[in-house]
């Protein structure tokens, strides 16, 4: 069991960083920036926030993948014999990663370009699309954590 404790702990901590970070950004930081900052300052702040947070998301993704595969090999004979809740976690994680890649690879550069060009209307539109995708990703993340912790579909 001790060999399982380290990857399990790292897995939970990485999920906490990613899902908790999205929770904070969506439900705390976003409303606070709307209340406290004008459009241009808000857009500049979000460019900085995303750049910093996404470094942590990349670390979390790597830790989740390595620890997840490690736990599957320590506990089960392979992916196909893993319980349904593990398969749901894997599927949810893949969807979350795809949404993250869309934001990181396509929308963040678009937001950065709009802010650099001081095209505040375009930047606000991109930020709105990012907000929606982060909201979807947060919902999926909460569902995955719920499935994982409750072990529904064992």
């Amino acid at each position: 069991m001790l060999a399982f404790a380290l990857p399990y702990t790292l897995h939970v901590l990485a999920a906490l960083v990613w899902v908790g970070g999205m929770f904070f950004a969506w439900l705390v930081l976003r409303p606070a920036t709307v209340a406290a900052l004008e459009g241009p300052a808000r857009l500049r702040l979000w460019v900085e926030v995303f750049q910093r947070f996404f470094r942590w998301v990349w670390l979390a993704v790597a830790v989740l993948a390595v620890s997840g595969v490690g736990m599957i090999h320590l506990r089960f004979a392979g992916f196909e014999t893993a319980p349904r809740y593990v398969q749901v976690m894997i599927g949810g994680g893949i969807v979350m990663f795809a949404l993250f890649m869309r934001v990181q690879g396509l929308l963040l550069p678009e937001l950065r370009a709009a802010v650099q060009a001081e095209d505040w209307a375009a930047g606000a539109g991109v930020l709105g699309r990012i907000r929606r995708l982060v909201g979807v990703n947060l919902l999926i993340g909460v569902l995955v954590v719920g499935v994982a912790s409750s072990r529904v579909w064992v």
Side-chain angles (χ1 to χ4, degrees), residues 72-86:
I72 285 172
H73 289 294
L74 285 170
R75 172 92 26 115
F76 311 110
F79 292 103
E80 57 280 340
T81 60
R84 180 79 58 202
Y85 75 91
V86 172

Side-chain angles (χ1 to χ4, degrees), residues 1-151:
M1 273 298 141
L2 186 58
F4 192 78
L6 179 61
Y8 181 79
T9 300
L10 291 173
H11 201 79
V12 170
L13 290 173
L16 179 68
V17 166
W18 192 2
V19 177
M22 288 188 297
F23 181 91
F24 173 77
W26 216 75
L27 295 166
V28 177
L29 184 59
R30 184 182 66 84
T33 61
V34 169
L37 299 173
E38 296 298 319
R42 188 178 327 138
L43 292 170
R44 286 187 187 105
L45 174 70
W46 279 111
V47 168
E48 295 298 321
V49 166
F50 289 136
Q51 287 177 180
R52 286 169 175 76
F53 179 57
F54 288 172
R55 290 183 199 128
W56 287 102
V57 173
W58 276 111
L59 178 62
V61 165
V63 169
L64 285 164
V66 171
S67 61
V69 169
M71 287 188 293
I72 285 172
H73 289 294
L74 285 170
R75 172 92 26 115
F76 311 110
F79 292 103
E80 57 280 340
T81 60
R84 180 79 58 202
Y85 75 91
V86 172
Q87 295 172 3
V88 169
M89 276 194 291
I90 293 167
I94 290 169
V95 172
M96 288 178 67
F97 181 68
L99 291 172
F100 165 67
M101 287 302 301
R102 178 163 176 81
V103 172
Q104 165 87 47
L106 298 176
L107 297 178
L108 183 57
E110 194 176 330
L111 176 62
R112 193 178 297 120
V115 168
Q116 226 167 10
E118 297 184 359
D119 185 351
W120 308 122
V126 175
L127 186 59
R129 289 185 283 160
I130 291 172
R131 179 182 52 81
R132 284 187 293 279
L133 286 179
V134 170
V136 169
N137 230 9
L138 173 58
L139 181 61
I140 294 168
V142 167
L143 291 172
V144 168
V145 168
V147 167
S149 61
S150 67
R151 300 207 168 157

